[in-house]
Amino acid sequence: MTTQPNCLNQFIDGEFTVSEAKRCIPVTNPATQEVLCEAPCATDQEIETAIVSAQEAYYQWREVPTPERARLMLNYQGVLKQHQEDIAVTLSKETGKTLADAKGDVWRGIEVVEQAANVSSLMMGETVENVARAIDCYSYLQPLGVCVGITPFNFPAMVPLWMYPMAIACGNSFILKPSEQDPMTPTQLAELAVEAGFPKGILQVLHGDKEQVDRLITHPLVKAISFVGSVAAGQHIYRTGTDNLKRVQAFAGAKNHMVVMPDADKDQVISNLIGSSVGAAGQRCMAISVAVMVGDAKNWVEDLRDAMANVRPGLWDDPQASYGPQISPQAKQRVLSFIAKGKEEGATCLLDGSDCKVPEAPDGNWVGPTLFTDVTPEMSIYKEEIFGPVLVVLCADTLDQAIELINQNPYGNGTSIFTASGQAARHFQHYIEVGQVGINVPIPVPLPFFSFTGWKNSFYGDQHAYGKQAVRFYTETKTVTARWFDPGMSASPNMTIHLR
């Protein structure tokens, strides 16, 4: 990567430059605590230079025809595919994700870049001929200007690729502030953007933390802000951005439920519950963290425990490892505190991963699979997002009770139902108050020609990520009402048009 020794460079005005930062943040391997590099906190002058550069680049880029923008995205997805393995290795080392999981992270981002290559058809406006006599009306979608993205640690390839390819394809310029916990992957994505032919200034990457974020989201030249992260940060960014008259989409917390009907296939249920709850160490906003066992499905809990007990975390290049470590010692301690609190509040811990050890990496942030039963909605382990490999089980007598439980939850990111009944699935999808619903699919993240549509406290804003809604978010609609006079026409004083 193009960096000074042990320190990432800022990517400003098309160049990787040595930062003048007076403060740097160590980036560590969460499995070993080895310091991989440092992320420099961008100075006020670096931020200003990046924004001015992005504004100047926007003035040129918005005039580039949409087919040319589409071809740039086609070229970029080709470069990303060529380097998918390299990106995944970088991602694994700084997040701890298994290599297979890291490759999936990169691939889901590539799919969004492919969607961005459809920008010409996605930006088609509307038209009506003869809205009045000899008057036509039509609309265009036009880019906004400088857009900013603030992305989380858990998907350092996929989430940035949710944002800037769509924004840039629509004719905007973009400034990315990636997570300070794993900024190497987004920096590599920027290097590959240069290789793909991105014009100078349409993509900038600045490193830092909340101080740099606040500078970006309050700057007068910034028009739109995209964010994925915690509830507290999402609320802050949404309030601050909108108070400064920015357009904001902020994806926040989650507490995702899987409803298990007694007619479902037990083996499929157990396999999918395990993968969706402890995969990626539970550090996914779409992870299943609550299983709602309906009726006799509650009898499967012991089998679920036995299967979870066979799952183990490990190093990124261990093909037998199911998932990696928590991103930081602080994240591990937070998960452990929830496990302890669950026990204190009276839940039964059927499987406790608090003392998990990985012999080849004793200093890693390891938490083993953890399963709680006898959980009530009043308990902290149910109410709050744990963001670790912890699954809690609640029971319901009927499907309607399960639906009521989920609808009362303040989050609405994703949910799923496992059943053999089409009627039950139809009833569930119709009445559930959650943005993304899976039917015999545990983590219903849509492909990019749909949109990622969290509800309630899982999302603040109006237009969601990727798909058609992203195009709407990154553009403004201009409506034109047009009349052309014919020399043979005459107009009366009341402007009525008389045709020959």
Side-chain angles (χ1 to χ4, degrees), residues 52-275:
V52 170
S53 167
Q55 180 75 3
E56 292 174 353
Y58 159 69
Y59 289 137
Q60 301 297 319
W61 181 243
R62 69 181 180 181
E63 303 302 330
V64 173
T66 54
E68 291 185 30
R69 295 186 222 149
R71 285 192 286 272
L72 177 63
M73 292 302 151
L74 281 173
N75 196 36
Y76 190 37
Q77 62 91 20
V79 171
L80 291 172
K81 286 179 179 177
Q82 181 183 353
H83 293 276
Q84 181 186 4
E85 181 97 10
D86 297 335
I87 304 168
V89 169
T90 300
L91 194 157
S92 291
K93 289 180 179 179
E94 65 177 345
T95 65
K97 285 188 178 184
T98 64
L99 185 59
D101 197 7
K103 286 181 179 179
D105 186 332
V106 179
W107 183 254
R108 292 308 301 265
I110 291 173
E111 290 179 327
V112 180
V113 180
E114 291 176 342
Q115 174 70 0
N118 294 317
V119 66
S120 295
S121 59
L122 293 172
M123 289 190 68
M124 293 175 69
E126 300 173 320
T127 182
V128 175
E129 188 181 37
N130 281 343
V131 295
R133 292 184 182 276
I135 296 178
D136 304 325
C137 196
Y138 44 93
S139 66
Y140 297 121
L141 299 181
Q142 295 189 330
L144 302 172
V146 179
C147 301
V148 164
I150 301 113
T151 56
F153 76 83
N154 57 333
F155 286 95
M158 182 187 76
V159 175
L161 292 171
W162 273 10
M163 297 178 183
Y164 68 81
M166 294 298 297
I168 290 171
C170 289
N172 303 286
S173 58
F174 200 93
I175 300 173
L176 174 66
K177 206 302 288 182
S179 171
E180 62 275 19
Q181 294 181 287
D182 47 13
M184 294 165 58
T185 299
T187 300
Q188 192 169 359
L189 296 179
E191 291 181 328
L192 295 175
V194 173
E195 182 178 328
F198 275 43
K200 177 180 177 181
I202 64 166
L203 176 65
Q204 327 256 344
V205 180
L206 297 174
H207 301 293
D209 53 17
K210 182 178 182 296
E211 180 182 339
Q212 284 66 41
V213 168
D214 286 343
R215 295 280 186 186
L216 287 167
I217 67 177
T218 57
H219 195 284
L221 290 180
V222 170
K223 301 301 182 184
I225 303 160
S226 299
F227 168 81
V228 177
S230 69
V231 173
Q235 290 178 344
H236 168 73
I237 285 169
Y238 184 73
R239 290 190 179 109
T240 305
T242 54
D243 281 350
N244 283 270
L245 307 180
K246 315 298 184 188
R247 184 176 293 187
V248 183
Q249 53 176 195
F251 296 84
K255 197 70 179 180
N256 305 314
H257 300 65
M258 179 193 289
V259 173
V260 180
M261 300 299 290
D263 63 356
D265 183 290
K266 183 176 74 170
D267 292 339
Q268 289 288 343
V269 165
I270 291 173
S271 174
N272 282 277
L273 265 177
I274 293 172

Side-chain angles (χ1 to χ4, degrees), residues 243-407:
D243 281 350
N244 283 270
L245 307 180
K246 315 298 184 188
R247 184 176 293 187
V248 183
Q249 53 176 195
F251 296 84
K255 197 70 179 180
N256 305 314
H257 300 65
M258 179 193 289
V259 173
V260 180
M261 300 299 290
D263 63 356
D265 183 290
K266 183 176 74 170
D267 292 339
Q268 289 288 343
V269 165
I270 291 173
S271 174
N272 282 277
L273 265 177
I274 293 172
S276 59
S277 61
V278 306
Q283 298 175 124
R284 294 189 288 212
C285 67
M286 287 293 287
I288 293 295
S289 55
V290 182
V292 184
M293 314 302 280
V294 178
D296 290 341
K298 65 179 180 291
N299 298 324
W300 302 348
V301 173
E302 298 294 328
D303 294 317
L304 174 62
R305 178 203 60 194
D306 294 344
M308 287 185 73
N310 291 322
V311 173
R312 67 170 183 84
L315 296 173
W316 70 271
D317 56 355
D318 178 356
Q320 302 304 314
S322 298
Y323 62 90
Q326 303 302 119
I327 189 64
S328 68
Q330 295 79 13
K332 174 184 175 179
Q333 189 54 48
R334 182 176 186 274
V335 176
L336 295 183
S337 70
F338 273 111
I339 295 174
K341 193 175 294 185
K343 298 172 186 176
E344 293 169 6
E345 293 179 344
T348 300
C349 190
L350 285 183
L351 184 65
D352 188 350
S354 300
D355 296 322
C356 179
K357 299 288 190 299
V358 175
E360 58 268 35
D363 296 325
N365 309 317
W366 308 107
V367 179
T370 301
L371 178 66
F372 279 100
T373 58
D374 302 315
V375 177
T376 67
E378 294 74 34
M379 294 179 178
S380 299
I381 55 173
Y382 175 76
K383 290 191 298 184
E384 299 187 49
E385 185 176 29
I386 300 173
F387 227 56
V390 180
L391 178 65
V392 305
V393 176
L394 286 80
C395 296
D397 294 329
T398 67
L399 176 57
D400 282 332
Q401 287 181 3
I403 291 172
E404 182 181 3
L405 174 73
I406 297 169
N407 287 349

